[in-house]
Amino acid sequence: MGDNSVPQARYFLLREKNGVKYIKKTLLVFFLASLLIASAVCAFGILLLRNGFIFTRRHSFTYYKEFHDHSFYRAVSYSKLPENNITIPKISNRPIKSPKIDNYRLVCYYNFPNRSFNLERQLTHKRLDPDLCTHVNVGFGSIQNNTIYLSDYNRNVTRNVSALKAKNKNLKVLLSISGFADSGFAEMVQNHANRKMFIKSMLSYVKEFKLDGIDLDWEFPNADVYNSKERMHFTQLLYEIREEINRQKKHKFLLTVAVASPYFIAMNSYDISYMNDYVDFINLMTYDFHFYTKWTPFTGINSPLYSLPHDIGIFGTLNINYSAHFWMSQGMEKNKINIGLPTYGHTYKLINPNNNGISAPAIGFGNLGHNGFIDYSEVCAFLSESKVLPNFDDVSKSPYATHYQDWISYDDIKSLSFKAEYIRENNFGGAMVYSLNSDDYTGDCADIKNDPSQTYPLIRQIRDILLDPNL
Ligand SMILES: *[C@@H]1O[C@H](CO)[C@@H](O)[C@H](O)[C@H]1NC(C)=O
Ligand SMILES: *[C@@H]1O[C@H](CO)[C@@H](O)[C@H](O)[C@H]1NC(C)=O
Ligand SMILES: *[C@@H]1O[C@H](CO)[C@@H](O)[C@H](O)[C@H]1NC(C)=O
Ligand SMILES: *[C@@H]1O[C@H](CO)[C@@H](O)[C@H](O)[C@H]1NC(C)=O
Ligand SMILES: *[C@@H]1O[C@H](CO)[C@@H](O)[C@H](O)[C@H]1NC(C)=O
Ligand SMILES: *[C@@H]1O[C@H](CO)[C@@H](O)[C@H](O)[C@H]1NC(C)=O
């Protein structure tokens, strides 16, 4: 006790002697600490704003402009999960009555030759098989000054694809018009006069190119703007086109729409029950459910049929089955829904090659493919060269393959068989395939080269299941 009292007394003495100095020092430390905390709060705020708000809303648009590809833009859009606490719609499993289908649709997108993911593989109209699909959607035209625009070269391609109908009387050829959120669509739908100009140009394209219809692929109404009237105006456009088709005596043609499958985009972009009244059918883009972005930095299946057990919350909605049921629950008739099936896959670069399952951490696009997209022909070349044995996930009914840091999700004959069977069992209107270009149209994956029955193996498999009268 006695020993302790000495330093304590000295301490008090010191404190009293240096009292003023002590207070000054404390104030200085306090001031510096507040400054530090304030800047930390500021930095955190900026980070939050960039990542949660400005980043997701704006940065992605510079992305798509750089790559100038609407598939890339869609994959990024699907990955922007809603920021607000949106309640996930509960969907009843009650079967929805629909007439039995005896003619399934097989709608195949054909990209103009220099719009492929792999620019070194350009599918020309000469390699198209007029008996493969029931509908070919040629794309993509754009909208300029409220009218359809096609370059001279693409007009020639469209004319040549339309000429395939001479070889198959039942084949339907449609022109697909696409645009990003803030494209010519936004301006065109705004008012009656603009829509009228567009519809007039539609009619002249249908006549000039002997088309069977027009497919609209606006990705997506109301996507980039809050409180916008774009959804309503888009519905109005569909109504006015339907009225125009009803007025046509000779040139009746199909009106179809390629639509977003995630419910959080669909709810925002479309009046689904009205759309049901005006369109002949929809092409549900049930792919790009998982894609590498800065806010989804993990591996995932491009087009899972069902959700995986670890898919909680919103992730449980990112699959074919949920999306198709969501669209039906909102009033789209089952037989107007074509389920989208991809012939391409997505690539990722793993952080740790040993952590290589589904939902493993990723740091970017894989070395394979092009900006995260890979054609089936490249997938099978890679599998045979690397001797990699792919995995097959029995829940999502999809294969994936991994090789050092590379990870790919894709579809093959087996996965597409499950998905085509699903369409039959549930009596949907048919399948939509994206795209003819990314299937193995040269038949290089097969053992027997130059055998026409070996070309387009993926689409041919879907066709066999949906359209073979013997099955
Ligand atoms: C989200 O919303 C639901 C219902 O609207 C509510 O029950 C839940 O507590 C909310 N969750 C959060 C994290 O705010
Ligand atoms: C398919 O979706 C419906 C509606 O959400 C759901 O009730 C059903 O369980 C799903 N099927 C499977 C196998 O997950
Ligand atoms: C596509 O190919 C045509 C003909 O080779 C060319 O005129 C056109 O500029 C190309 N377009 C693009 C976007 O590369
Ligand atoms: C669209 O209109 C603008 C202004 O009138 C004109 O400069 C441009 O050439 C037009 N573009 C097309 C493709 O007609
Ligand atoms: C389109 O076809 C016409 C007629 O065959 C031809 O004169 C023209 O050069 C072609 N244009 C392009 C860009 O290929
Ligand atoms: C269209 O077909 C004609 C006749 O086969 C051919 O000469 C022309 O090059 C084709 N044009 C395009 C753009 O494919």
Side-chain angles (χ1 to χ4, degrees), residues 97-125:
K97 274 200 190 133
S98 64
K100 185 102 190 100
I101 304 282
D102 40 30
N103 289 310
Y104 288 101
R105 290 179 216 106
L106 178 51
V107 177
C108 303
Y109 276 88
Y110 169 59
N111 269 304
F112 290 131
N114 49 10
R115 276 211 36 137
S116 308
F117 297 133
N118 179 357
L119 288 177
E120 282 151 29
R121 268 176 74 84
Q122 299 199 357
L123 172 59
T124 62
H125 75 283

PDB file of all heavy atoms in Angstrom, residues 97-125:
ATOM      1  N   LYS A  97     -55.206 -24.827 -66.373  1.00  0.00           N
ATOM      2  CA  LYS A  97     -55.778 -25.550 -67.515  1.00  0.00           C
ATOM      3  C   LYS A  97     -55.302 -24.925 -68.823  1.00  0.00           C
ATOM      4  O   LYS A  97     -55.237 -23.718 -68.958  1.00  0.00           O
ATOM      5  CB  LYS A  97     -57.305 -25.485 -67.442  1.00  0.00           C
ATOM      6  CG  LYS A  97     -57.871 -26.589 -66.587  1.00  0.00           C
ATOM      7  CD  LYS A  97     -59.349 -26.829 -66.900  1.00  0.00           C
ATOM      8  CE  LYS A  97     -59.947 -27.759 -65.867  1.00  0.00           C
ATOM      9  NZ  LYS A  97     -61.231 -27.284 -65.359  1.00  0.00           N
ATOM     10  N   SER A  98     -54.958 -25.760 -69.761  1.00  0.00           N
ATOM     11  CA  SER A  98     -54.615 -25.248 -71.080  1.00  0.00           C
ATOM     12  C   SER A  98     -54.903 -26.339 -72.091  1.00  0.00           C
ATOM     13  O   SER A  98     -54.813 -27.515 -71.768  1.00  0.00           O
ATOM     14  CB  SER A  98     -53.143 -24.855 -71.127  1.00  0.00           C
ATOM     15  OG  SER A  98     -52.355 -26.001 -70.944  1.00  0.00           O
ATOM     16  N   PRO A  99     -55.249 -25.915 -73.302  1.00  0.00           N
ATOM     17  CA  PRO A  99     -55.534 -26.933 -74.309  1.00  0.00           C
ATOM     18  C   PRO A  99     -54.287 -27.766 -74.593  1.00  0.00           C
ATOM     19  O   PRO A  99     -53.170 -27.268 -74.495  1.00  0.00           O
ATOM     20  CB  PRO A  99     -55.950 -26.120 -75.534  1.00  0.00           C
ATOM     21  CG  PRO A  99     -55.557 -24.719 -75.259  1.00  0.00           C
ATOM     22  CD  PRO A  99     -55.383 -24.559 -73.800  1.00  0.00           C
ATOM     23  N   LYS A 100     -54.510 -29.006 -74.915  1.00  0.00           N
ATOM     24  CA  LYS A 100     -53.387 -29.907 -75.241  1.00  0.00           C
ATOM     25  C   LYS A 100     -52.699 -29.384 -76.502  1.00  0.00           C
ATOM     26  O   LYS A 100     -53.336 -28.934 -77.441  1.00  0.00           O
ATOM     27  CB  LYS A 100     -53.951 -31.317 -75.469  1.00  0.00           C
ATOM     28  CG  LYS A 100     -52.909 -32.369 -75.689  1.00  0.00           C
ATOM     29  CD  LYS A 100     -52.686 -33.198 -74.430  1.00  0.00           C
ATOM     30  CE  LYS A 100     -51.468 -34.109 -74.573  1.00  0.00           C
ATOM     31  NZ  LYS A 100     -50.286 -33.599 -73.931  1.00  0.00           N
ATOM     32  N   ILE A 101     -51.379 -29.446 -76.480  1.00  0.00           N
ATOM     33  CA  ILE A 101     -50.615 -28.940 -77.614  1.00  0.00           C
ATOM     34  C   ILE A 101     -50.358 -30.084 -78.583  1.00  0.00           C
ATOM     35  O   ILE A 101     -49.900 -31.144 -78.174  1.00  0.00           O
ATOM     36  CB  ILE A 101     -49.241 -28.422 -77.129  1.00  0.00           C
ATOM     37  CG1 ILE A 101     -49.395 -27.357 -76.049  1.00  0.00           C
ATOM     38  CG2 ILE A 101     -48.398 -27.936 -78.293  1.00  0.00           C
ATOM     39  CD1 ILE A 101     -49.761 -26.006 -76.521  1.00  0.00           C
ATOM     40  N   ASP A 102     -50.674 -29.867 -79.854  1.00  0.00           N
ATOM     41  CA  ASP A 102     -50.233 -30.909 -80.776  1.00  0.00           C
ATOM     42  C   ASP A 102     -49.162 -30.404 -81.731  1.00  0.00           C
ATOM     43  O   ASP A 102     -48.511 -31.182 -82.398  1.00  0.00           O
ATOM     44  CB  ASP A 102     -51.400 -31.569 -81.517  1.00  0.00           C
ATOM     45  CG  ASP A 102     -52.455 -30.580 -81.935  1.00  0.00           C
ATOM     46  OD1 ASP A 102     -52.076 -29.405 -82.183  1.00  0.00           O
ATOM     47  OD2 ASP A 102     -53.621 -30.922 -82.011  1.00  0.00           O
ATOM     48  N   ASN A 103     -48.992 -29.109 -81.752  1.00  0.00           N
ATOM     49  CA  ASN A 103     -47.919 -28.555 -82.574  1.00  0.00           C
ATOM     50  C   ASN A 103     -47.041 -27.649 -81.725  1.00  0.00           C
ATOM     51  O   ASN A 103     -47.329 -26.481 -81.580  1.00  0.00           O
ATOM     52  CB  ASN A 103     -48.499 -27.735 -83.729  1.00  0.00           C
ATOM     53  CG  ASN A 103     -49.147 -28.612 -84.765  1.00  0.00           C
ATOM     54  OD1 ASN A 103     -48.534 -29.588 -85.208  1.00  0.00           O
ATOM     55  ND2 ASN A 103     -50.365 -28.297 -85.144  1.00  0.00           N
ATOM     56  N   TYR A 104     -46.013 -28.221 -81.166  1.00  0.00           N
ATOM     57  CA  TYR A 104     -45.109 -27.376 -80.379  1.00  0.00           C
ATOM     58  C   TYR A 104     -44.345 -26.454 -81.317  1.00  0.00           C
ATOM     59  O   TYR A 104     -44.071 -26.801 -82.467  1.00  0.00           O
ATOM     60  CB  TYR A 104     -44.107 -28.232 -79.607  1.00  0.00           C
ATOM     61  CG  TYR A 104     -44.722 -28.968 -78.450  1.00  0.00           C
ATOM     62  CD1 TYR A 104     -45.038 -30.313 -78.556  1.00  0.00           C
ATOM     63  CD2 TYR A 104     -44.993 -28.303 -77.260  1.00  0.00           C
ATOM     64  CE1 TYR A 104     -45.603 -30.989 -77.493  1.00  0.00           C
ATOM     65  CE2 TYR A 104     -45.570 -28.971 -76.192  1.00  0.00           C
ATOM     66  CZ  TYR A 104     -45.876 -30.316 -76.312  1.00  0.00           C
ATOM     67  OH  TYR A 104     -46.440 -30.978 -75.268  1.00  0.00           O
ATOM     68  N   ARG A 105     -43.997 -25.287 -80.778  1.00  0.00           N
ATOM     69  CA  ARG A 105     -43.157 -24.362 -81.556  1.00  0.00           C
ATOM     70  C   ARG A 105     -41.699 -24.607 -81.227  1.00  0.00           C
ATOM     71  O   ARG A 105     -41.366 -24.932 -80.085  1.00  0.00           O
ATOM     72  CB  ARG A 105     -43.479 -22.915 -81.183  1.00  0.00           C
ATOM     73  CG  ARG A 105     -44.810 -22.431 -81.650  1.00  0.00           C
ATOM     74  CD  ARG A 105     -45.023 -20.983 -81.181  1.00  0.00           C
ATOM     75  NE  ARG A 105     -46.430 -20.838 -80.844  1.00  0.00           N
ATOM     76  CZ  ARG A 105     -46.901 -20.767 -79.611  1.00  0.00           C
ATOM     77  NH1 ARG A 105     -46.077 -20.762 -78.571  1.00  0.00           N
ATOM     78  NH2 ARG A 105     -48.190 -20.667 -79.394  1.00  0.00           N
ATOM     79  N   LEU A 106     -40.861 -24.421 -82.225  1.00  0.00           N
ATOM     80  CA  LEU A 106     -39.417 -24.391 -81.984  1.00  0.00           C
ATOM     81  C   LEU A 106     -38.911 -23.136 -82.678  1.00  0.00           C
ATOM     82  O   LEU A 106     -38.709 -23.112 -83.898  1.00  0.00           O
ATOM     83  CB  LEU A 106     -38.755 -25.663 -82.528  1.00  0.00           C
ATOM     84  CG  LEU A 106     -37.231 -25.753 -82.393  1.00  0.00           C
ATOM     85  CD1 LEU A 106     -36.764 -25.464 -80.968  1.00  0.00           C
ATOM     86  CD2 LEU A 106     -36.743 -27.130 -82.834  1.00  0.00           C
ATOM     87  N   VAL A 107     -38.816 -22.067 -81.875  1.00  0.00           N
ATOM     88  CA  VAL A 107     -38.443 -20.751 -82.397  1.00  0.00           C
ATOM     89  C   VAL A 107     -36.933 -20.583 -82.237  1.00  0.00           C
ATOM     90  O   VAL A 107     -36.423 -20.650 -81.119  1.00  0.00           O
ATOM     91  CB  VAL A 107     -39.171 -19.629 -81.617  1.00  0.00           C
ATOM     92  CG1 VAL A 107     -38.734 -18.257 -82.096  1.00  0.00           C
ATOM     93  CG2 VAL A 107     -40.687 -19.794 -81.719  1.00  0.00           C
ATOM     94  N   CYS A 108     -36.216 -20.400 -83.346  1.00  0.00           N
ATOM     95  CA  CYS A 108     -34.757 -20.296 -83.281  1.00  0.00           C
ATOM     96  C   CYS A 108     -34.299 -18.905 -83.695  1.00  0.00           C
ATOM     97  O   CYS A 108     -34.695 -18.409 -84.754  1.00  0.00           O
ATOM     98  CB  CYS A 108     -34.110 -21.312 -84.226  1.00  0.00           C
ATOM     99  SG  CYS A 108     -34.595 -23.008 -83.889  1.00  0.00           S
ATOM    100  N   TYR A 109     -33.481 -18.297 -82.862  1.00  0.00           N
ATOM    101  CA  TYR A 109     -32.910 -16.996 -83.226  1.00  0.00           C
ATOM    102  C   TYR A 109     -31.712 -17.195 -84.134  1.00  0.00           C
ATOM    103  O   TYR A 109     -30.870 -18.067 -83.894  1.00  0.00           O
ATOM    104  CB  TYR A 109     -32.480 -16.215 -81.976  1.00  0.00           C
ATOM    105  CG  TYR A 109     -33.640 -15.472 -81.353  1.00  0.00           C
ATOM    106  CD1 TYR A 109     -34.454 -16.087 -80.417  1.00  0.00           C
ATOM    107  CD2 TYR A 109     -33.939 -14.168 -81.749  1.00  0.00           C
ATOM    108  CE1 TYR A 109     -35.533 -15.420 -79.860  1.00  0.00           C
ATOM    109  CE2 TYR A 109     -35.016 -13.491 -81.196  1.00  0.00           C
ATOM    110  CZ  TYR A 109     -35.807 -14.114 -80.253  1.00  0.00           C
ATOM    111  OH  TYR A 109     -36.871 -13.458 -79.713  1.00  0.00           O
ATOM    112  N   TYR A 110     -31.676 -16.403 -85.175  1.00  0.00           N
ATOM    113  CA  TYR A 110     -30.518 -16.393 -86.070  1.00  0.00           C
ATOM    114  C   TYR A 110     -29.912 -14.990 -86.041  1.00  0.00           C
ATOM    115  O   TYR A 110     -30.561 -14.005 -86.417  1.00  0.00           O
ATOM    116  CB  TYR A 110     -30.943 -16.764 -87.501  1.00  0.00           C
ATOM    117  CG  TYR A 110     -29.853 -16.510 -88.516  1.00  0.00           C
ATOM    118  CD1 TYR A 110     -28.619 -17.148 -88.407  1.00  0.00           C
ATOM    119  CD2 TYR A 110     -30.038 -15.622 -89.578  1.00  0.00           C
ATOM    120  CE1 TYR A 110     -27.602 -16.903 -89.320  1.00  0.00           C
ATOM    121  CE2 TYR A 110     -29.027 -15.381 -90.499  1.00  0.00           C
ATOM    122  CZ  TYR A 110     -27.822 -16.017 -90.358  1.00  0.00           C
ATOM    123  OH  TYR A 110     -26.809 -15.767 -91.250  1.00  0.00           O
ATOM    124  N   ASN A 111     -28.704 -14.903 -85.565  1.00  0.00           N
ATOM    125  CA  ASN A 111     -27.995 -13.618 -85.520  1.00  0.00           C
ATOM    126  C   ASN A 111     -27.345 -13.330 -86.861  1.00  0.00           C
ATOM    127  O   ASN A 111     -26.745 -14.228 -87.453  1.00  0.00           O
ATOM    128  CB  ASN A 111     -26.879 -13.687 -84.480  1.00  0.00           C
ATOM    129  CG  ASN A 111     -27.327 -13.238 -83.117  1.00  0.00           C
ATOM    130  OD1 ASN A 111     -27.821 -12.128 -82.962  1.00  0.00           O
ATOM    131  ND2 ASN A 111     -27.160 -14.095 -82.136  1.00  0.00           N
ATOM    132  N   PHE A 112     -27.416 -12.096 -87.295  1.00  0.00           N
ATOM    133  CA  PHE A 112     -26.683 -11.704 -88.506  1.00  0.00           C
ATOM    134  C   PHE A 112     -25.235 -12.150 -88.341  1.00  0.00           C
ATOM    135  O   PHE A 112     -24.697 -12.118 -87.227  1.00  0.00           O
ATOM    136  CB  PHE A 112     -26.763 -10.189 -88.708  1.00  0.00           C
ATOM    137  CG  PHE A 112     -28.140  -9.717 -89.094  1.00  0.00           C
ATOM    138  CD1 PHE A 112     -28.743  -8.661 -88.431  1.00  0.00           C
ATOM    139  CD2 PHE A 112     -28.832 -10.342 -90.121  1.00  0.00           C
ATOM    140  CE1 PHE A 112     -30.011  -8.230 -88.791  1.00  0.00           C
ATOM    141  CE2 PHE A 112     -30.103  -9.912 -90.483  1.00  0.00           C
ATOM    142  CZ  PHE A 112     -30.693  -8.862 -89.819  1.00  0.00           C
ATOM    143  N   PRO A 113     -24.589 -12.565 -89.481  1.00  0.00           N
ATOM    144  CA  PRO A 113     -23.292 -13.228 -89.370  1.00  0.00           C
ATOM    145  C   PRO A 113     -22.283 -12.520 -88.451  1.00  0.00           C
ATOM    146  O   PRO A 113     -21.631 -13.183 -87.673  1.00  0.00           O
ATOM    147  CB  PRO A 113     -22.801 -13.251 -90.812  1.00  0.00           C
ATOM    148  CG  PRO A 113     -24.042 -13.348 -91.608  1.00  0.00           C
ATOM    149  CD  PRO A 113     -25.070 -12.548 -90.853  1.00  0.00           C
ATOM    150  N   ASN A 114     -22.177 -11.222 -88.550  1.00  0.00           N
ATOM    151  CA  ASN A 114     -21.145 -10.639 -87.682  1.00  0.00           C
ATOM    152  C   ASN A 114     -21.684 -10.154 -86.339  1.00  0.00           C
ATOM    153  O   ASN A 114     -21.208  -9.203 -85.760  1.00  0.00           O
ATOM    154  CB  ASN A 114     -20.321  -9.554 -88.398  1.00  0.00           C
ATOM    155  CG  ASN A 114     -21.202  -8.553 -89.099  1.00  0.00           C
ATOM    156  OD1 ASN A 114     -22.407  -8.556 -88.895  1.00  0.00           O
ATOM    157  ND2 ASN A 114     -20.599  -7.698 -89.890  1.00  0.00           N
ATOM    158  N   ARG A 115     -22.668 -10.865 -85.830  1.00  0.00           N
ATOM    159  CA  ARG A 115     -23.146 -10.582 -84.472  1.00  0.00           C
ATOM    160  C   ARG A 115     -22.971 -11.801 -83.572  1.00  0.00           C
ATOM    161  O   ARG A 115     -23.596 -11.910 -82.544  1.00  0.00           O
ATOM    162  CB  ARG A 115     -24.631 -10.206 -84.526  1.00  0.00           C
ATOM    163  CG  ARG A 115     -24.875  -8.736 -84.860  1.00  0.00           C
ATOM    164  CD  ARG A 115     -26.134  -8.317 -84.192  1.00  0.00           C
ATOM    165  NE  ARG A 115     -26.247  -8.990 -82.914  1.00  0.00           N
ATOM    166  CZ  ARG A 115     -26.637  -8.418 -81.795  1.00  0.00           C
ATOM    167  NH1 ARG A 115     -26.982  -7.185 -81.795  1.00  0.00           N
ATOM    168  NH2 ARG A 115     -26.722  -9.105 -80.673  1.00  0.00           N
ATOM    169  N   SER A 116     -22.150 -12.764 -83.987  1.00  0.00           N
ATOM    170  CA  SER A 116     -21.938 -13.952 -83.165  1.00  0.00           C
ATOM    171  C   SER A 116     -21.047 -13.593 -81.983  1.00  0.00           C
ATOM    172  O   SER A 116     -20.323 -12.595 -82.029  1.00  0.00           O
ATOM    173  CB  SER A 116     -21.255 -15.043 -83.979  1.00  0.00           C
ATOM    174  OG  SER A 116     -21.958 -15.274 -85.163  1.00  0.00           O
ATOM    175  N   PHE A 117     -21.078 -14.442 -80.939  1.00  0.00           N
ATOM    176  CA  PHE A 117     -20.167 -14.215 -79.805  1.00  0.00           C
ATOM    177  C   PHE A 117     -18.730 -14.361 -80.302  1.00  0.00           C
ATOM    178  O   PHE A 117     -17.841 -13.624 -79.919  1.00  0.00           O
ATOM    179  CB  PHE A 117     -20.422 -15.235 -78.690  1.00  0.00           C
ATOM    180  CG  PHE A 117     -21.787 -15.130 -78.087  1.00  0.00           C
ATOM    181  CD1 PHE A 117     -22.566 -16.254 -77.893  1.00  0.00           C
ATOM    182  CD2 PHE A 117     -22.293 -13.894 -77.708  1.00  0.00           C
ATOM    183  CE1 PHE A 117     -23.829 -16.161 -77.345  1.00  0.00           C
ATOM    184  CE2 PHE A 117     -23.564 -13.794 -77.154  1.00  0.00           C
ATOM    185  CZ  PHE A 117     -24.327 -14.929 -76.977  1.00  0.00           C
ATOM    186  N   ASN A 118     -18.529 -15.369 -81.147  1.00  0.00           N
ATOM    187  CA  ASN A 118     -17.206 -15.635 -81.682  1.00  0.00           C
ATOM    188  C   ASN A 118     -17.180 -15.127 -83.119  1.00  0.00           C
ATOM    189  O   ASN A 118     -17.721 -15.755 -84.020  1.00  0.00           O
ATOM    190  CB  ASN A 118     -16.936 -17.144 -81.642  1.00  0.00           C
ATOM    191  CG  ASN A 118     -15.585 -17.490 -82.214  1.00  0.00           C
ATOM    192  OD1 ASN A 118     -14.858 -16.616 -82.692  1.00  0.00           O
ATOM    193  ND2 ASN A 118     -15.249 -18.758 -82.162  1.00  0.00           N
ATOM    194  N   LEU A 119     -16.539 -13.983 -83.327  1.00  0.00           N
ATOM    195  CA  LEU A 119     -16.601 -13.353 -84.646  1.00  0.00           C
ATOM    196  C   LEU A 119     -15.855 -14.146 -85.718  1.00  0.00           C
ATOM    197  O   LEU A 119     -16.009 -13.894 -86.907  1.00  0.00           O
ATOM    198  CB  LEU A 119     -16.090 -11.917 -84.569  1.00  0.00           C
ATOM    199  CG  LEU A 119     -17.045 -10.954 -83.858  1.00  0.00           C
ATOM    200  CD1 LEU A 119     -16.449  -9.565 -83.759  1.00  0.00           C
ATOM    201  CD2 LEU A 119     -18.393 -10.894 -84.567  1.00  0.00           C
ATOM    202  N   GLU A 120     -15.037 -15.120 -85.281  1.00  0.00           N
ATOM    203  CA  GLU A 120     -14.338 -15.932 -86.273  1.00  0.00           C
ATOM    204  C   GLU A 120     -15.242 -17.036 -86.824  1.00  0.00           C
ATOM    205  O   GLU A 120     -14.911 -17.666 -87.817  1.00  0.00           O
ATOM    206  CB  GLU A 120     -13.081 -16.558 -85.655  1.00  0.00           C
ATOM    207  CG  GLU A 120     -11.950 -15.542 -85.572  1.00  0.00           C
ATOM    208  CD  GLU A 120     -11.019 -15.822 -84.428  1.00  0.00           C
ATOM    209  OE1 GLU A 120     -10.865 -16.995 -84.045  1.00  0.00           O
ATOM    210  OE2 GLU A 120     -10.459 -14.849 -83.905  1.00  0.00           O
ATOM    211  N   ARG A 121     -16.346 -17.294 -86.140  1.00  0.00           N
ATOM    212  CA  ARG A 121     -17.285 -18.298 -86.642  1.00  0.00           C
ATOM    213  C   ARG A 121     -18.553 -17.575 -87.053  1.00  0.00           C
ATOM    214  O   ARG A 121     -19.355 -17.220 -86.210  1.00  0.00           O
ATOM    215  CB  ARG A 121     -17.614 -19.295 -85.529  1.00  0.00           C
ATOM    216  CG  ARG A 121     -16.727 -20.513 -85.497  1.00  0.00           C
ATOM    217  CD  ARG A 121     -17.090 -21.371 -84.314  1.00  0.00           C
ATOM    218  NE  ARG A 121     -18.343 -22.100 -84.496  1.00  0.00           N
ATOM    219  CZ  ARG A 121     -18.445 -23.266 -85.137  1.00  0.00           C
ATOM    220  NH1 ARG A 121     -17.395 -23.822 -85.658  1.00  0.00           N
ATOM    221  NH2 ARG A 121     -19.609 -23.873 -85.243  1.00  0.00           N
ATOM    222  N   GLN A 122     -18.706 -17.339 -88.330  1.00  0.00           N
ATOM    223  CA  GLN A 122     -19.866 -16.584 -88.782  1.00  0.00           C
ATOM    224  C   GLN A 122     -20.794 -17.492 -89.570  1.00  0.00           C
ATOM    225  O   GLN A 122     -20.447 -17.957 -90.648  1.00  0.00           O
ATOM    226  CB  GLN A 122     -19.420 -15.391 -89.611  1.00  0.00           C
ATOM    227  CG  GLN A 122     -18.536 -14.452 -88.784  1.00  0.00           C
ATOM    228  CD  GLN A 122     -18.451 -13.065 -89.376  1.00  0.00           C
ATOM    229  OE1 GLN A 122     -19.010 -12.796 -90.434  1.00  0.00           O
ATOM    230  NE2 GLN A 122     -17.760 -12.177 -88.691  1.00  0.00           N
ATOM    231  N   LEU A 123     -21.969 -17.698 -89.012  1.00  0.00           N
ATOM    232  CA  LEU A 123     -22.959 -18.575 -89.645  1.00  0.00           C
ATOM    233  C   LEU A 123     -23.656 -17.808 -90.768  1.00  0.00           C
ATOM    234  O   LEU A 123     -24.316 -16.809 -90.520  1.00  0.00           O
ATOM    235  CB  LEU A 123     -23.971 -19.033 -88.587  1.00  0.00           C
ATOM    236  CG  LEU A 123     -25.193 -19.806 -89.058  1.00  0.00           C
ATOM    237  CD1 LEU A 123     -24.802 -21.073 -89.796  1.00  0.00           C
ATOM    238  CD2 LEU A 123     -26.090 -20.135 -87.879  1.00  0.00           C
ATOM    239  N   THR A 124     -23.498 -18.273 -92.002  1.00  0.00           N
ATOM    240  CA  THR A 124     -24.179 -17.617 -93.120  1.00  0.00           C
ATOM    241  C   THR A 124     -25.479 -18.374 -93.420  1.00  0.00           C
ATOM    242  O   THR A 124     -25.639 -19.526 -93.021  1.00  0.00           O
ATOM    243  CB  THR A 124     -23.302 -17.624 -94.389  1.00  0.00           C
ATOM    244  OG1 THR A 124     -23.075 -18.983 -94.772  1.00  0.00           O
ATOM    245  CG2 THR A 124     -21.980 -16.923 -94.139  1.00  0.00           C
ATOM    246  N   HIS A 125     -26.362 -17.718 -94.152  1.00  0.00           N
ATOM    247  CA  HIS A 125     -27.681 -18.319 -94.420  1.00  0.00           C
ATOM    248  C   HIS A 125     -27.552 -19.637 -95.168  1.00  0.00           C
ATOM    249  O   HIS A 125     -28.443 -20.463 -95.125  1.00  0.00           O
ATOM    250  CB  HIS A 125     -28.564 -17.332 -95.185  1.00  0.00           C
ATOM    251  CG  HIS A 125     -28.182 -17.193 -96.619  1.00  0.00           C
ATOM    252  ND1 HIS A 125     -27.085 -16.461 -97.012  1.00  0.00           N
ATOM    253  CD2 HIS A 125     -28.714 -17.726 -97.743  1.00  0.00           C
ATOM    254  CE1 HIS A 125     -26.977 -16.546 -98.321  1.00  0.00           C
ATOM    255  NE2 HIS A 125     -27.947 -17.307 -98.796  1.00  0.00           N
TER     256      HIS A 125
END
